[in-house]
Amino acid sequence: MNSTWFRRYTTPAGNGPRLVCFPHAGGSATAYKALAHALPTDLDVVSVQYPGRQDRFGEAPFTDLERLVEAVSGELARALAADPGRPYALFGHSMGALVAYETARRLERAGLPAPRRLFVSGRGTPDNPSGAHYRYYGDADVLAEVRGLSGTDRTLLDNPEILEMVLPALRADYRAVGTYTWSGGGPLAVPVTALTGDRDPVVTVAEARAWREHTTGGFALEVFPGGHFYLDDQPERIAAAVTGGLLAPAAAP
């Protein structure tokens, strides 16, 4: 796996199925560190590191989701070719759910091995334009949104030095989500599991359930107590849901 784009937080890497995790807007690969440690050790859990954050701070973040997907899927395609036969799955939270979904579509169109399952968390379906207003957001709007979702320690956002470091990535990611437009097309053949918090102000349970229409390969809905960042407080429960979905037969109804 390209060490620029992918991070592992477990040593050694498991020899079982690989789970590729896509962070939320403004998030980094470390968002999945707790989940990686909660999952079975035979899984190979890797997290995507987008440009413009942490050790990639010097790189310009993508402001266009399609270009981000193109870059990530290219790197993932090379990883699949280097390790043929290993089953894998994709997990994305919030913005990461869109990136994971579009990555699965791009790999499918390229005729590459499909993921065993797609996990989409904290995000409505790609044809739901609920994030379109983000394209009009200024920095104050972005910060107000992030503070309201409680995904970042408020004291960090109140620190001018830290804010200067995280704001470019936040700004770019919100722009990418706000300008994203679903291109249409048929449903994936990949099984989908939608996960959400029961008090998420971004996506309702009904909106999460609508992912059923975007797959012909089986669907499951997992609802957890909590808001938009419900997964931060209960990695063991999320790990159990992911393990159950990932190890289920690929053709599960």
Side-chain angles (χ1 to χ4, degrees), residues 100-170:
Y101 163 77
E102 289 291 356
T103 296
R105 290 218 300 174
R106 185 174 285 267
L107 294 174
E108 182 179 74
R109 290 195 298 265
L112 294 169
R116 176 171 288 186
R117 184 168 288 265
L118 171 65
F119 297 90
V120 286
S121 167
R123 174 71 201 190
T125 55
D127 53 333
N128 182 340
S130 59
H133 60 290
Y134 292 152
R135 72 181 65 192
Y136 305 113
Y137 269 22
D139 289 352
D141 301 306
V142 170
L143 291 174
E145 178 92 5
V146 172
R147 288 188 173 100
L149 294 176
S150 302
T152 303
D153 189 330
R154 299 175 72 95
T155 60
L156 296 181
L157 295 180
D158 292 335
N159 184 312
E161 293 181 358
I162 295 178
L163 185 58
E164 184 179 357
M165 294 178 63
V166 302
L167 190 53
L170 277 169

Side-chain angles (χ1 to χ4, degrees), residues 21-38:
C21 302
F22 297 78
H24 56 278
S28 63
T30 53
Y32 290 104
K33 188 174 182 178
L35 180 60
H37 285 286

Side-chain angles (χ1 to χ4, degrees), residues 136-232:
Y136 305 113
Y137 269 22
D139 289 352
D141 301 306
V142 170
L143 291 174
E145 178 92 5
V146 172
R147 288 188 173 100
L149 294 176
S150 302
T152 303
D153 189 330
R154 299 175 72 95
T155 60
L156 296 181
L157 295 180
D158 292 335
N159 184 312
E161 293 181 358
I162 295 178
L163 185 58
E164 184 179 357
M165 294 178 63
V166 302
L167 190 53
L170 277 169
R171 184 189 299 128
D173 290 353
Y174 270 79
R175 175 69 180 172
V177 174
T179 56
Y180 167 78
T181 302
W182 185 53
S183 61
L188 290 168
V190 176
V192 171
T193 295
L195 307 92
T196 188
D198 59 5
R199 300 186 304 278
D200 190 337
V202 174
V203 54
T204 66
V205 172
E207 288 171 333
R209 187 179 292 112
W211 277 99
R212 183 193 301 273
E213 306 304 318
H214 288 270
T215 179
T216 61
F219 177 79
L221 175 66
E222 299 278 356
V223 181
F224 300 88
H228 189 59
F229 287 97
Y230 69 92
L231 65 174
D232 290 349

